[in-house]
C-alpha cells in the first residue's frame, strides 16, 4: 500500500448511514461572564452555540466515524468561581414529517479534564446500584448506558440526545480548563464489522451496485463513479497469516489496485511507513486475458497490533470491473510437493562444503571466451572526451567498424564523454572498454535546449512498433513542430504559461483549455517545466521512408523565435524492436512468434540432454542455441500451486552440443521437465556472444531521465557476455540489465541508485537467465537487488553487498539458484523493497506466480525491517 495514502475523505460518505457528530453541553454554568456576546470556548473542528443565558453546546464540525475514534479538545477560562453541568449526548435531528427525533447514538470514552476535577472519565467504575450507570454520573432522560466498548480500558458510555450522562464540575476563576474526549458513533447494520470468511458485497463505500457478471451470470459488486471503494471492517487476529481470494471480470487490462488497510483495536489505521508486500499488490490481467474471468489469491500477515482491516479497490479507469466471491481465511500449513531427491553422481547435483548435496552450480559463468584483439579508438571516429559535444554517434561509428571487422575493442580514453543518444551493438565479440571506473565517464544528459526525441527502441532504431516521445520546455513556447525533410509531420499549439500560473496546478489549467494526455500533450511528472507529446507509430510511421531518417523538433517562442534540434534515426517498418532501451544496448536475436515454435516430439525429463523435435523448420545450420518453452496450463498450475494466468513459468536457454536431423543433444541437462502432450516447444535462439562492457562510469543526469525510462546498460538475448569494473550512477531503470541470457557474468561493479526506484524496475540481477554469475557487486538504493526473475535457473550471486534493497527469488518459477556470502542491508523501505532481506514470491501469487524448488541461501548476513527470510 502506498505510503501517505489517506482513506478518511472517502469513507465519510457512502457506507456511513445516519452520519452525525458528537454533542457536549455545558449547562447551568455560573462561571462565565454574562452579556458580552462572545463565546469563551475554543477548539479545533467544533461548533459552539449558546443554550439560554448560562449554557453552551459544543458540536463536532464533521460527522463521527463508526469504525474509529476521534479525539477532541476544547479549552475555556472561567470568569468566576463556580460550576457547570457537563452533559454528554448526541445531536438533535428530526426528519421532515417525523413525530419523534432520531436516536443518533454517540459512544464516549477517555474523558480527561485539566484545571478542574472530573471523576470516572474512563467509565471503568460502575454504580453499585446499577452496573449500566457509570459511577459519579447521573442520567438525564432514558437510554444512556455504560457498555464494553472502549478506546482505553474495557468500558465506554453510549448516549443520545434524550438519553444523557451528566456530572457537575467545580471550577475556579482565571484557571484555564481543558476538556479532552474520544468519541465515535454506533455503526449502521450495513457497516457493522464482519468476521473473516465470506465477505459481504454490501456495505462497501462509494457508489456501488450489485449486478450480474457478463457470461457468468452470478451477482457481483460493480463499482461505479469514483476511484476508491472499501469494504466494511473485517475482524482479524494479530500476527496471523491470512489468504484473501476473490474473483473478477474485467473489460480491459490494467484496471485496479487491490490493497489492505489495517486498524488497531481503537479503529486507528496502522502506520504505512513499514511498506509490506501485501500492501502494494497491483493485480493486472494481461491484454491477452481481456474479458476473462480470473481468480486472484493474496496471502499476507497481519501486524502485531492489527485487530481489523478493510479491502480497498482503487480503480485506474472508467471501464467496468465486477468483483465477487471475496473470501478471507486464516491460512493453515500446506503440504508441499516433495522435490526429486538428489542422488550422488546425479548430473544435476553436487556436494556442498558442508557435505550436503545441493544443485550443481558449477556451470554458472561464461562457458568459453573469445576475446577480440583489434582496437578501435573512439577518438578516431569523432568521440572526444571533454569537448562538450555528443559522443554517442562517434562511439556508434567505432562499434560499427568493429562489427564490420568481425571483432573489436572500442577503446575509450580517460575523461568525460557526453551521450545525447544511444549506442546499439548487435555483433559478436565487441567490447566497449574504458580506462577504469571513475577515470572514463559516460554521461547522459538532456540537451541544453531542452529538446529531445526519445524513441522507445534500442539505439536510434524506429520499427513498426516504436513509440516516439517529444520533450520540450513548454513554458517557453507557443507551438511545437515535428519535421522530416522540411515537411511538417505534426504541429501542436502549447498553452501559454502566463495563463497557467493563474491556476492551482498545471493539470488544472491544461484541463481548462481542453488538453488531455490522450490528445497528445501532457506535462512530465518528473519535471513540470518539461512538456511531452506521445506519438504511437500509427500517427507518424507511414510518413517516413525506410532507411536513414533525420527528424527535426522545433519550438516557436512568444516573440516568434525558433529553437530546433535534429535527430538521426534508422527506420525499418517491418522490424519490431523490444521496448526496453538503454544507453548501451547489446542485443542478439530470438524467435518468439507463434510461427517460430517447433513442437517437441517427445518429453524432455529433468536431467535429460536429448531433445527430439516434431519440426525443425527454424533450425538453420548456424543456430547453436535454443529455448525450451512450456505454456502455462491448468495441470501445471495445480502441481505448482500457482494462480498465474499470464507470463512464462518454464523457459530456459540451452546450447546445442550436437544435432542429427531433428534430434538434438544439449550441452547442459534440463532442470525442469517439458512435456510434449502439454504443448512444450523449442524456439531458435541467436544470442549475441563474447561481448563486454568494462572499465568506466556511466551516469544519467536530470530529472527527466525518469520519463525516458532508459537502462544504463543492457544485454538482451546474450551468451558468454560480461559486464565488469563498472560504476553506474542514477540509472533511469535497470543499472545493468541481463535478460534472456545464458552463461553471462556481472562482476566487480558498483550501482548507485536509480531515478525512479519506487515504481519502475530498478533491479540488479538476471531475468530469463541460465547459468549466469554475479559476484563482487555493491548496490545502493535500488528496489530489488539482487534479483532472480522469470525462470532463472542455475544462476549464482555471491560475495556482494546490497544496501536498502531486498534479495528476490521473483517471478515465474525460478529454481536451483544460489545466493551465497552476500550481505543484505534493508533498513528503510524508502525504495519500495518488501521489507524482508530474502523474499520468494508465495505459491499463490496471482501477479508473479510461484517460485520453483531448490533455491539456496548459503552463508549470508542480513539486516532488515521485517523477517530476514520470507519463503512460502
Amino acid at each position: 500500500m502506498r505510503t501517505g495514502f489517506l482513506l478518511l475523505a472517502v469513507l465519510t460518505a457512502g457506507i456511513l448511514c445516519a452520519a452525525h457528530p458528537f454533542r457536549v453541553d455545558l449547562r447551568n454554568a455560573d462561571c462565565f461572564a454574562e452579556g458580552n456576546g462572545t463565546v469563551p470556548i475554543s477548539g479545533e473542528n467544533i461548533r459552539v452555540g449558546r443554550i439560554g443565558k448560562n449554557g453552551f453546546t459544543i458540536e463536532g464540525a464533521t460527522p463521527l466515524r463508526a469504525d474509529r475514534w476521534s479525539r477532541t479538545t476544547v479549552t475555556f477560562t472561567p470568569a468566576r468561581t463556580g460550576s457547570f453541568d457537563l452533559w454528554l449526548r448526541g445531536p438533535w435531528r428530526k426528519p421532515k414529517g417525523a413525530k419523534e427525533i432520531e436516536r443518533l447514538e454517540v459512544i464516549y470514552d477517555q474523558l480527561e479534564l485539566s484545571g478542574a476535577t472530573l471523576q470516572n472519565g474512563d467509565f471503568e467504575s460502575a454504580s453499585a446500584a446499577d452496573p449500566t450507570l457509570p459511577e459519579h454520573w447521573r442520567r438525564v432522560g432514558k437510554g444512556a448506558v455504560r457498555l464494553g466498548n472502549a478506546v482505553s480500558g474495557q468500558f465506554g458510555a453510549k448516549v443520545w440526545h434524550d438519553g444523557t450522562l451528566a456530572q457537575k464540575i467545580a471550577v475556579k476563576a482565571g484557571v484555564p480548563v481543558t476538556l479532552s474526549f474520544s468519541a465515535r458513533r454506533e455503526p449502521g447494520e450495513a457497516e457493522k464489522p464482519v468476521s473473516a470468511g465470506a465477505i459481504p458485497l454490501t456495505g462497501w463505500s462509494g457508489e456501488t451496485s450489485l449486478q450480474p457478471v457478463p457470461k457468468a451470470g452470478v451477482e457481483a459488486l460493480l463499482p461505479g463513479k469514483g476511484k476508491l471503494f472499501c469494504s466494511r471492517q473485517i475482524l482479524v487476529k494479530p500476527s496471523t497469516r491470512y489468504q484473501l481470494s476473490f474473483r473478477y471480470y474485467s473489460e480491459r487490462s490494467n484496471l485496479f489496485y487491490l490493497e489492505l488497510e489495517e486498524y488497531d483495536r481503537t479503529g486507528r489505521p496502522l502506520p504505512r511507513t513499514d511498506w509490506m508486500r501485501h500492501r502494494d499488490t497491483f493485480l493486472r490481467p494481461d491484454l491477452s486475458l481481456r474479458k476473462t474471468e480470473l481468480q486472484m489469491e493474496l496471502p499476507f500477515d497481519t501486524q502485531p497490533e492489527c485487530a481489523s482491516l478493510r479491502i480497498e479497490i482503487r480503480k485506474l479507469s472508467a471501464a467496468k470491473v465486477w468483483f465477487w466471491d471475496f473470501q478471507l481465511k486464516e491460512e493453515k500449513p500446506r503440504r508441499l510437493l516433495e522435490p526429486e531427491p538428489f542422488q550422488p553422481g546425479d548430473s544435476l547435483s553436487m556436494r556442498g562444503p558442508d557435505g550436503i548435496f545441493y544443485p550443481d552450480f558449477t556451470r554458472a559463468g561464461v562457458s568459453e571466451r573469445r576475446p577480440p584483439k583489434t582496437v578501435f579508438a573512439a577518438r578516431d571516429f569523432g568521440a572526444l572526451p571533454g569537448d562538450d559535444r555528443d559522443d554517442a554517434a562517434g562511439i556508434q561509428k567505432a562499434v560499427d567498424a568493429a562489427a564490420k571487422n568481425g571483432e573489436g575493442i572500442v577503446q575509450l580514453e580517460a575523461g568525460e564523454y557526453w551521450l545525447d543518444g544511444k549506442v546499439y551493438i548487435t555483433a559478436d565479440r565487441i567490447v566497449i572498454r574504458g580506462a577504469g571506473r571513475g577515470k572514463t565517464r559516460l554521461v547522459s544528459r538532456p540537451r541544453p535546449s531542452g529538446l529531445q526525441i526519445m524513441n522507445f527502441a534500442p539505439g536510434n532504431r524506429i520499427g513498426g512498433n516504436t513509440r516516439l516521445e517529444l520533450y520540450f520546455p513548454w513554458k517557453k513556447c507557443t507551438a511545437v513542430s515535428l519535421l522530416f525533410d522540411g515537411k511538417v509531420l505534426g504541429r501542436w499549439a502549447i498553452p501559454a504559461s502566463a495563463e497557467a500560473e493563474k491556476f492551482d496546478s498545471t493539470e488544472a489549467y491544461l484541463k481548462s483549455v481542453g488538453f488531455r494526455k490522450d490528445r497528445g500533450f501532457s506535462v512530465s511528472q518528473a519535471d513540470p517545466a518539461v512538456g511531452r507529446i506521445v506519438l504511437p507509430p500509427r500517427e507518424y510511421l507511414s510518413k517516413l521512408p525506410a532507411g536513414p531518417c533525420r527528424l527535426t523538433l522545433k519550438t516557436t517562442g512568444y516573440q516568434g523565435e525558433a529553437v530546433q534540434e535534429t535527430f538521426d534515426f534508422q527506420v525499418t517498418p517491418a522490424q519490431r524492436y523490444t521496448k526496453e532501451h538503454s544507453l548501451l544496448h547489446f542485443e542478439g536475436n530470438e524467435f518468439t512468434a507463434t510461427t517460430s515454435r517447433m513442437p517437441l516430439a517427445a518429453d524432455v525429463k529433468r536431467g535429460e540432454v536429448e531433445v527430439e523435435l516434431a519440426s525443425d523448420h527454424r533450425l538453420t545450420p548456424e543456430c547453436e542455441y535454443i529455448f525450451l518453452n512450456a505454456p502455462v496450463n491448468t495441470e501445471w498450475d495445480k502441481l505448482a500451486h500457482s494462480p498465474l494466468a499470464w507470463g512464462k513459468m518454464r523457459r530456459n536457454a540451452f546450447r546445442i552440443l550436437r544435432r542429427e536431423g531433428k534430434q538434438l543433444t544439449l550441452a547442459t541437462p534440463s532442470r525442469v521437465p517439458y512435456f510434449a502432450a502439454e504443448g512444450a516447444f523449442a524456439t531458435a535462439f541467436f544470442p549475441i556472444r563474447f561481448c563486454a562492457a568494462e572499465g568506466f562510469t556511466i551516469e544519467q543526469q536530470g530529472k527527466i531521465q525518469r520519463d525516458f525510462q532508459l537502462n544504463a546498460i543492457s544485454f538482451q538475448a546474450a551468451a558468454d557476455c560480461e559486464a565488469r569494473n563498472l560504476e553506474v550512477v542514477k540509472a533511469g531503470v535497470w543499472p545493468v540489465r541481463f535478460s534472456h541470457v545464458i552463461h553471462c557474468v556481472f562482476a566487480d561493479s558498483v550501482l548507485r541508485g536509480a531515478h525512479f526506484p519506487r515504481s519502475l524496475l530498478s533491479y540488479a540481477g538476471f531475468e530469463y537467465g541460465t547459468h549466469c554469475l554475479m559476484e563482487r557487486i555493491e548496490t545502493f538504493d535500488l528496489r530489488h537487488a539482487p534479483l532472480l526473475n522469470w525462470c532463472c535457473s542455475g544462476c549464482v550471486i555471491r560475495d556482494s553487498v546490497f544496501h536498502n534493497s531486498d534479495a528476490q527469488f521473483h517471478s515465474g518459477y525460478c529454481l536451483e539458484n544460489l545466493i551465497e556470502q552476500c550481505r543484505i542491508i534493508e533498513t528503510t523501505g524508502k525504495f519500495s523493497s518488501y521489507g524482508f532481506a530474502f523474499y520468494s514470491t508465495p505459491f499463490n501469487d496471482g501477479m508473479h506466480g510461484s517460485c520453483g524448488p531448490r533455491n539456496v541461501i548459503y552463508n549470508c548476513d542480513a539486516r532488515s525491517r521485517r523477517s530476514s527470510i520470507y519463503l512460502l
Side-chain angles (χ1 to χ4, degrees):
M1 189 166 293
R2 304 199 181 282
T3 303
F5 172 72
L6 296 180
L7 198 59
L8 273 171
V10 178
L11 288 181
T12 53
I15 66 170
L16 302 189
C17 47
H20 55 270
F22 66 81
R23 176 173 166 179
V24 174
D25 290 354
L26 308 184
R27 297 247 177 171
N28 304 316
D30 57 9
C31 54
F32 294 109
E34 297 181 3
N36 59 7
T38 60
V39 177
I41 301 171
S42 62
E44 293 185 3
N45 205 28
I46 61 172
R47 291 190 291 259
V48 181
R50 286 189 175 272
I51 305 175
K53 293 183 178 180
N54 58 352
F56 294 92
T57 176
I58 305 168
E59 190 170 283
T62 57
L64 291 171
R65 298 281 297 272
D67 58 337
R68 71 181 67 165
W69 296 84
S70 63
R71 189 75 177 165
T72 301
T73 299
V74 297
T75 302
F76 59 90
T77 301
R80 293 193 292 265
T81 298
S83 65
F84 65 88
D85 288 335
L86 174 63
W87 284 26
L88 305 180
R89 65 195 316 184
W92 186 92
R93 182 187 295 171
K94 185 176 182 181
K96 185 176 181 180
K99 295 182 179 180
E100 305 289 340
I101 67 170
E102 287 188 70
R103 183 168 176 145
L104 303 178
E105 295 176 327
V106 178
I107 302 173
Y108 290 93
D109 191 25
Q110 207 176 28
L111 274 74
E112 297 175 345
L113 194 64
S114 65
T117 301
L118 173 72
Q119 300 186 77
N120 196 22
D122 58 4
F123 308 108
E124 294 301 301
S125 300
S127 167
D130 182 358
T132 67
L133 177 66
E135 188 179 11
H136 303 297
W137 293 85
R138 70 179 189 275
R139 286 193 180 97
V140 180
K142 297 181 180 182
V145 295
R146 172 176 174 264
L147 78 169
N149 193 328
V151 68
S152 66
Q154 297 183 6
F155 293 93
K158 182 169 69 173
V159 299
W160 66 294
H161 185 273
D162 286 359
T164 301
L165 288 178
Q167 185 175 149
K168 184 172 285 294
I169 308 294
V171 295
K172 294 182 179 180
V175 178
V177 176
T178 299
L179 172 66
S180 299
F181 56 88
S182 297
R184 72 176 184 83
R185 63 176 179 79
E186 279 280 77
E189 190 62 36
E191 56 185 343
K192 288 182 178 178
V194 296
S195 299
I199 308 304
L201 297 179
T202 57
W204 286 66
S205 71
E207 184 180 310
T208 61
S209 60
L210 297 179
Q211 300 288 339
V213 180
K215 298 183 180 179
V218 299
E219 191 173 61
L221 178 76
L222 178 63
K225 295 180 179 179
K227 293 185 177 180
L228 182 68
F229 306 87
C230 307
S231 73
R232 62 176 76 181
Q233 275 190 301
I234 306 165
L235 302 177
V236 294
K237 300 176 184 178
S239 300
T240 303
R241 164 141 298 209
Y242 286 90
Q243 177 173 289
L244 171 66
S245 64
F246 64 98
R247 305 183 77 85
Y248 76 95
Y249 176 95
S250 61
E251 285 189 331
R252 302 176 190 168
S253 64
N254 297 344
L255 286 175
F256 64 91
Y257 289 90
L258 185 136
E259 304 172 321
L260 301 174
E261 169 95 4
E262 293 178 286
Y263 302 87
D264 65 15
R265 60 188 296 270
T266 71
R268 177 179 58 86
L270 292 176
R272 302 182 182 218
T273 53
D274 188 12
W275 194 92
M276 301 194 319
R277 169 69 181 90
H278 80 274
R279 304 175 92 190
D280 196 15
T281 297
F282 185 26
L283 304 174
R284 50 179 182 181
D286 189 71
L287 286 172
S288 62
L289 301 174
R290 191 175 298 167
K291 293 191 175 182
T292 299
E293 173 192 328
L294 293 177
Q295 178 167 350
M296 290 293 179
E297 295 174 333
L298 178 64
F300 64 94
D301 301 303
T302 55
Q303 298 186 58
E305 302 85 7
C306 180
S308 64
L309 56 85
R310 289 186 188 277
I311 303 167
E312 301 176 356
I313 296 172
R314 176 184 282 268
K315 288 185 63 181
L316 302 182
S317 76
K320 293 180 179 180
V321 191
W322 289 259
F323 299 89
W324 73 100
D325 196 19
F326 284 94
Q327 301 282 339
L328 183 66
K329 297 180 180 180
E330 188 174 340
E331 275 280 77
K332 298 180 180 179
R334 67 187 181 96
R335 185 179 66 83
L336 300 178
L337 290 177
E338 291 293 332
E340 301 92 332
F342 288 130
Q343 301 293 335
D346 186 342
S347 62
L348 289 171
S349 66
M350 59 175 283
R351 190 183 296 274
D354 52 9
I356 298 173
F357 278 92
Y358 292 93
D360 183 5
F361 298 117
T362 59
R363 297 180 177 90
V366 295
S367 60
E368 63 173 312
R369 286 187 171 90
R370 298 180 191 173
K373 298 179 180 180
T374 309
V375 175
F376 293 82
R379 168 180 290 275
D380 296 339
F381 297 87
L384 304 176
D387 65 353
D388 201 32
R389 295 182 180 180
D390 173 42
D391 296 300
I395 296 173
Q396 184 68 64
K397 290 177 182 178
V399 166
D400 295 342
K404 187 176 181 180
N405 183 61
E407 53 88 24
I409 301 168
V410 176
Q411 186 66 55
L412 305 174
E413 306 169 24
E416 192 166 74
Y417 294 84
W418 291 109
L419 299 182
D420 291 350
K422 300 176 287 186
V423 179
Y424 191 29
I425 305 99
T426 58
D428 294 346
R429 303 182 68 197
I430 304 295
V431 173
I432 298 180
R433 178 179 295 163
R437 72 182 191 215
K439 297 178 180 179
T440 300
R441 290 176 51 84
L442 305 180
V443 180
S444 171
R445 58 174 182 176
R447 296 195 181 193
S449 65
L451 303 183
Q452 181 72 47
I453 300 177
M454 184 57 64
N455 59 316
F456 281 73
N460 67 344
R461 300 303 197 265
I462 293 178
N465 62 333
T466 302
R467 177 177 87 252
L468 295 184
E469 293 191 1
L470 317 180
Y471 293 90
F472 49 89
W474 74 281
K475 293 185 178 182
K476 297 180 180 180
C477 60
T478 59
V480 175
S481 301
L482 179 66
L483 302 95
F484 165 69
D485 197 21
K487 298 177 182 179
V488 177
L489 301 180
R491 189 178 189 279
W492 299 265
I494 304 301
S497 61
E499 292 295 321
E501 291 172 358
K502 299 178 182 179
F503 288 76
D504 293 336
S505 67
T506 300
E507 291 75 14
Y509 173 65
L510 294 176
K511 185 176 180 180
S512 74
V513 296
F515 279 89
R516 293 185 357 212
K517 289 183 179 180
D518 58 1
R519 292 182 182 172
F521 175 74
S522 63
V523 174
S524 164
Q525 294 182 350
D527 187 347
V530 177
R532 177 174 63 177
I533 292 172
V534 179
L535 292 178
R538 65 177 181 274
E539 295 188 12
Y540 75 91
L541 191 58
S542 62
K543 304 174 185 177
L544 300 180
C549 172
R550 174 167 291 183
L551 297 180
T552 300
L553 182 60
K554 177 181 177 182
T555 61
T556 303
Y558 293 108
Q559 306 301 322
E561 67 278 15
V563 178
Q564 65 182 42
E565 294 270 11
T566 59
F567 302 82
D568 292 320
F569 295 101
Q570 184 73 26
V571 180
T572 52
Q575 180 73 40
R576 297 181 66 85
Y577 292 103
T578 174
K579 296 178 183 178
E580 290 283 347
H581 60 153
S582 313
L583 292 175
L584 304 180
H585 194 97
F586 296 81
E587 186 173 21
N589 194 5
E590 54 179 316
F591 291 96
T592 58
T594 304
T595 55
S596 300
R597 297 179 178 181
M598 297 175 286
L600 300 187
D603 297 343
V604 178
K605 297 179 181 179
R606 172 177 160 77
E608 292 185 344
V609 296
E610 301 298 326
V611 177
E612 184 179 354
L613 302 177
S615 168
D616 62 352
H617 65 286
R618 284 290 186 178
L619 279 188
T620 58
E622 62 271 16
C623 182
E624 298 183 41
Y625 291 82
I626 61 168
F627 268 104
L628 288 182
N629 308 265
V632 174
N633 61 70
T634 303
E635 189 62 27
W636 177 258
D637 288 349
K638 187 183 300 183
L639 289 172
H641 291 267
S642 175
L644 189 69
W646 66 286
K648 299 177 178 65
M649 295 288 282
R650 287 171 290 163
R651 186 169 198 264
N652 295 104
F654 298 88
R655 186 167 66 88
I656 302 172
L657 192 62
R658 291 185 300 275
R659 177 186 176 188
E660 295 181 8
K662 298 177 184 179
Q663 187 74 36
L664 310 180
T665 301
L666 306 179
T668 54
S670 175
R671 294 178 184 266
V672 294
Y674 295 90
F675 302 113
E678 69 177 4
F681 58 91
T683 51
F685 180 36
F686 296 88
I688 189 172
R689 302 183 67 188
F690 312 117
C691 291
E694 56 187 42
F696 55 83
T697 293
I698 186 167
E699 179 178 357
Q700 293 171 246
Q701 296 180 351
K703 293 185 291 185
I704 197 63
Q705 297 284 354
R706 168 177 159 178
D707 285 353
F708 293 169
Q709 298 181 27
L710 273 167
N711 305 312
I713 303 170
S714 284
F715 290 88
Q716 174 87 22
D720 293 304
C721 291
E722 301 179 73
R724 292 183 178 273
N725 190 24
L726 300 171
E727 180 186 31
V728 183
V729 181
K730 291 296 253 184
V733 193
W734 288 69
V736 180
R737 179 174 182 261
F738 287 88
S739 182
H740 297 81
V741 290
I742 180 171
H743 291 301
C744 287
V745 172
F746 183 25
D748 304 305
S749 299
V750 179
L751 312 179
R752 303 187 187 278
H755 277 277
F756 196 28
R758 293 186 61 84
S759 294
L760 293 177
L761 309 179
S762 56
Y763 301 160
F766 305 104
E767 61 181 9
Y768 296 107
T770 307
H771 304 314
C772 293
L773 172 64
M774 174 191 287
E775 59 183 352
R776 299 183 299 279
I777 300 294
E778 186 169 18
T779 72
F780 297 86
D781 304 342
L782 300 180
R783 188 178 189 187
H784 301 321
L787 174 91
L788 293 159
N789 198 24
W790 291 118
C791 309
C792 281
S793 68
C795 296
V796 174
I797 298 172
R798 67 188 181 197
D799 194 20
S800 299
V801 182
F802 305 92
H803 303 268
N804 278 333
S805 62
D806 55 6
Q808 289 267 339
F809 299 99
H810 208 54
S811 303
Y813 210 70
C814 295
L815 80 160
E816 298 189 10
N817 301 285
L818 170 66
I819 300 178
E820 68 169 343
Q821 296 177 330
C822 289
R823 292 178 60 204
I824 312 295
I825 306 172
E826 199 294 320
T827 55
T828 68
K830 182 178 179 181
F831 305 101
S832 293
S833 62
Y834 295 167
F836 307 91
F838 297 91
Y839 183 92
S840 173
T841 51
F843 70 98
N844 47 9
D845 187 319
M847 180 177 178
H848 300 85
S850 62
C851 262
R854 296 181 291 272
N855 292 304
V856 178
I857 301 169
Y858 191 90
N859 195 24
C860 294
D861 294 329
R863 186 168 76 231
S864 59
R865 292 173 296 123
R866 301 186 61 75
S867 301
S868 290
I869 298 178
Y870 183 102
L871 303 175
L872 179 62

